[in-house]
Amino acid sequence: RSVPLDRRPVPQTLPLNPTAPPIIETAPGFFDILGNVRSKDPLKSADAMRRMGLTKTVGDPSGRAPLVHTQNGSDTCAIVSQQEVLMARGLLAKGDPIKIEAALAAEAKGRGFYRNGTPEAYTADLLVDRGLIVTKQSKAPLETLDAAVRRGGMIIASVDARGLWNVKGTKILGHAIVITGAEINRLDGKTLGYYINDSGSLKLGAGRFIPIEQFRKAWDPHTKSFAEVH
């Protein structure tokens, strides 16, 4: 039998702030910027290129940075990630983020979505229950994730935090973050890196820029899974 198709456009959240957070902490001088364009340090290079207008920012990394807080639970990273999306969509009442995190964790536990962390199969299910349109991918190459990020929505990604936190060791540190935007090279169209909200890092990662090769080190060893919120 025929199934009617809903062709209504998916509403898009416009950027709250079209600028992007600083890539490096200190503001370099003019001649430093010129030199940094060719720097082997990907942070300095990306920062210089952005200052010279050679890149474009996709997503809304500045507008989304205030949505993250340091997670209260050791295993609530995916809960906080979903909390950020719900806040961005205006689906949570304003209040103490720690109490909201606890309430969402209790709800997720009651639904079987969360126990000693959030299993990959249940990532973003709190969003689906509230009517948001979510596409999930697993064992996806970085190119698939990159295409999703370029569409400008919020992405909940599962990563190996060792690559983000520069932690040595052989044990994978499974972690959920929100990708809030990306910086694209205008000259060749390549992605220089992603802006992320990281609720688990020692220094709260609110709009932190991660160079693409560093991100790959966090992406490849783990499940290569993500949830794209449309």
Side-chain angles (χ1 to χ4, degrees):
R1 64 179 182 176
S2 61
V3 178
L5 297 178
D6 186 348
R7 299 186 182 277
R8 292 174 296 177
V10 177
Q12 296 293 322
T13 303
L14 295 176
L16 299 175
N17 186 343
T19 63
I23 292 178
I24 59 178
E25 301 246 345
T26 58
F30 175 75
F31 292 106
D32 290 328
I33 294 173
L34 293 180
N36 285 346
V37 169
R38 298 181 179 274
S39 174
K40 293 184 179 180
D41 183 332
L43 290 175
K44 290 183 178 180
S45 175
D47 176 81
M49 291 186 67
R50 195 179 80 180
R51 291 176 186 276
M52 296 180 68
L54 299 177
T55 68
K56 66 176 180 179
T57 305
V58 300
D60 185 14
S62 285
R64 294 163 177 166
L67 299 173
V68 67
H69 70 275
T70 300
Q71 64 193 66
N72 192 49
S74 61
D75 57 2
T76 54
C77 49
I79 299 294
V80 174
S81 295
Q82 293 174 91
Q83 181 178 346
E84 293 177 50
V85 176
L86 293 172
M87 290 172 62
R89 295 301 178 90
L91 296 176
L92 286 178
K94 293 183 179 180
D96 183 342
I98 298 299
K99 292 182 179 179
I100 296 173
E101 173 191 339
L104 289 175
E107 176 187 344
K109 187 174 182 179
R111 300 292 305 282
F113 299 161
Y114 160 74
R115 182 174 291 115
N116 297 323
T118 301
E120 177 187 339
Y122 299 126
T123 299
D125 278 14
L126 289 175
L127 309 181
V128 175
D129 276 2
R130 286 164 170 79
L132 296 184
I133 300 174
V134 176
T135 301
K136 297 185 182 183
Q137 298 268 9
S138 184
K139 297 182 180 178
L142 186 58
E143 292 72 20
T144 300
L145 172 68
D146 191 65
V149 174
R150 286 171 180 246
R151 286 190 280 271
M154 297 179 75
I155 308 289
I156 299 176
S158 296
V159 296
D160 179 355
R162 292 178 301 172
L164 302 181
W165 301 344
N166 296 317
V167 172
K168 295 181 179 179
T170 59
K171 185 178 180 180
I172 289 177
L173 299 177
H175 186 47
I177 60 168
V178 177
I179 301 176
T180 60
E183 204 66 36
I184 310 298
N185 188 331
R186 290 185 184 274
L187 302 179
D188 59 15
K190 294 182 179 180
T191 300
L192 298 178
Y194 300 130
Y195 296 95
I196 68 169
N197 282 358
D198 182 354
S199 64
S201 56
L202 292 177
K203 180 180 179 182
L204 181 63
R208 177 188 173 195
F209 181 80
I210 304 294
I212 190 67
E213 288 307 317
Q214 180 182 355
F215 188 88
R216 186 183 293 276
K217 293 178 182 178
W219 180 254
D220 286 346
H222 199 35
T223 60
K224 299 181 180 180
S225 63
F226 68 93
E228 179 183 5
V229 185
H230 299 276

